[in-house]
Amino acid sequence: MPRGVVHQTRGARDVSPLLSEFERAVAGFDRSAFEPRRLSAAAAAWARRASFEHASIAAFDRFALGLLAVGAPPELLEGAHVAAVEEIRHSRIGYALASLYGGEPLGPGPLDVSGALEGLGTLEELAVPALVEGCVGETLSAIEAEESHRRATEPAAKLALRIIADEEARHAEYAWAFVRWAVETERALAVPLRRALGESLDRVRLADPGHGCEEVPLVEFGFLPRADRLDLQRTAARDVLTPAAAALFL
Ligand SMILES: [Fe+2]
Ligand SMILES: [Fe+2]
């Protein structure tokens, strides 16, 4: 067999030491140190984040089927499946925190996946959403998770965000690798991709900071104030996404 035909599986990073630390932090959580209204706000915020993480499992599963439909190489297939498993971890961690802060067990319900396979089959149908949700969305969410981790002080939330930030950064890298492959495979894709990227970056630049601030500040539980989050996203769009996109479309 020629060398290099079978690649090393891009396995998930071993996060078991961090997960053990997370479990210890959950076990040592002291409810009496927080006001009840702050705990319920933190529970609701983590439940919401967990539901997005849970939906990301379906997004990567759907994406993996789309990769099969366009004959993508095995290393891209591996990356999609590894990412789906990591999203399962984020969903579990998120619901664990929502349960911890809310004081009652909480988990995902049935997810409506009807019509999930519609719009799969061409490389463009796969690449445009991958650029918007993967390259842009995952890059921004990795940067936001990193900053949320840095500012969080509740130990379980801080550890959760350490795990999530690292893995979201890998998902972003994966999305850029996929889009690079898609453009190399079909040069004409550069046109719709460039347009989709421009629209995404405009949405980031023009996002409305809104009035006032959140009712309950939740920085210690891993949530940035909206204005800080938008500032971070604008800086990332300018300093990270724009140069990365320029390199991609050269
Ligand atoms: Fe995630
Ligand atoms: Fe992700």
Side-chain angles (χ1 to χ4, degrees):
M1 184 182 289
R3 282 165 65 87
V5 168
V6 177
H7 297 266
Q8 170 80 36
T9 299
R10 179 193 170 276
R13 193 177 52 109
D14 180 15
V15 291
S16 30
L18 277 174
L19 281 173
S20 302
E21 259 191 86
F22 172 73
E23 276 162 20
R24 278 195 296 277
V26 167
F29 179 70
D30 175 11
R31 305 186 62 74
S32 66
F34 301 94
E35 286 172 46
R37 70 177 191 111
R38 296 180 55 70
L39 283 177
S40 26
W46 270 103
R48 194 172 133 79
R49 183 178 273 168
S51 72
F52 293 143
E53 299 288 1
H54 196 68
S56 300
I57 305 166
F60 272 113
D61 286 343
R62 178 183 186 275
F63 185 72
L65 288 173
L67 288 175
L68 287 167
V70 299
E75 50 276 24
L76 285 174
L77 281 169
E78 283 173 354
H81 287 282
V82 168
V85 170
E86 289 169 346
E87 299 295 8
I88 295 173
R89 178 154 52 229
H90 302 173
S91 167
R92 293 175 80 171
I93 288 174
Y95 281 117
L97 288 177
S99 306
L100 180 70
Y101 303 144
E104 58 183 9
L106 199 70
L111 190 67
D112 182 7
V113 294
S114 52
L117 298 186
E118 281 164 23
L120 276 186
T122 69
L123 199 47
E124 181 171 344
E125 284 172 329
L126 207 54
V128 170
L131 181 82
V132 174
E133 292 156 26
C135 300
V136 176
E138 297 265 10
T139 299
L140 295 179
S141 91
I143 290 170
E144 185 183 333
E146 185 66 43
E147 180 65 6
S148 304
H149 158 78
R150 195 183 68 76
R151 292 174 60 180
T153 50
E154 198 291 295
K158 197 172 181 71
L159 282 161
L161 287 161
R162 177 70 277 138
I163 296 169
I164 291 172
D166 289 349
E167 291 178 344
E168 298 301 359
R170 282 154 50 96
H171 299 173
E173 278 172 32
Y174 170 77
W176 286 104
F178 162 73
V179 171
R180 193 171 307 115
W181 172 81
V183 173
E184 281 164 13
T185 305
E186 206 174 306
R187 284 306 305 179
L189 278 182
V191 176
L193 286 173
R194 222 180 260 127
R195 187 171 52 235
L197 180 78
E199 288 166 1
S200 284
L201 294 181
D202 281 350
R203 272 195 297 279
V204 173
R205 276 191 288 264
L206 302 173
D208 179 6
H211 301 293
C213 52
E214 279 85 343
E215 285 176 14
V216 183
L218 292 172
V219 173
E220 68 194 300
F221 293 105
F223 295 89
L224 301 178
R226 181 171 164 77
D228 294 8
R229 203 169 73 235
L230 292 180
D231 269 353
L232 199 62
Q233 291 184 351
R234 286 199 191 99
T235 308
R238 189 192 60 217
D239 298 347
V240 180
L241 292 172
T242 303
L248 180 70
F249 295 124
L250 275 181

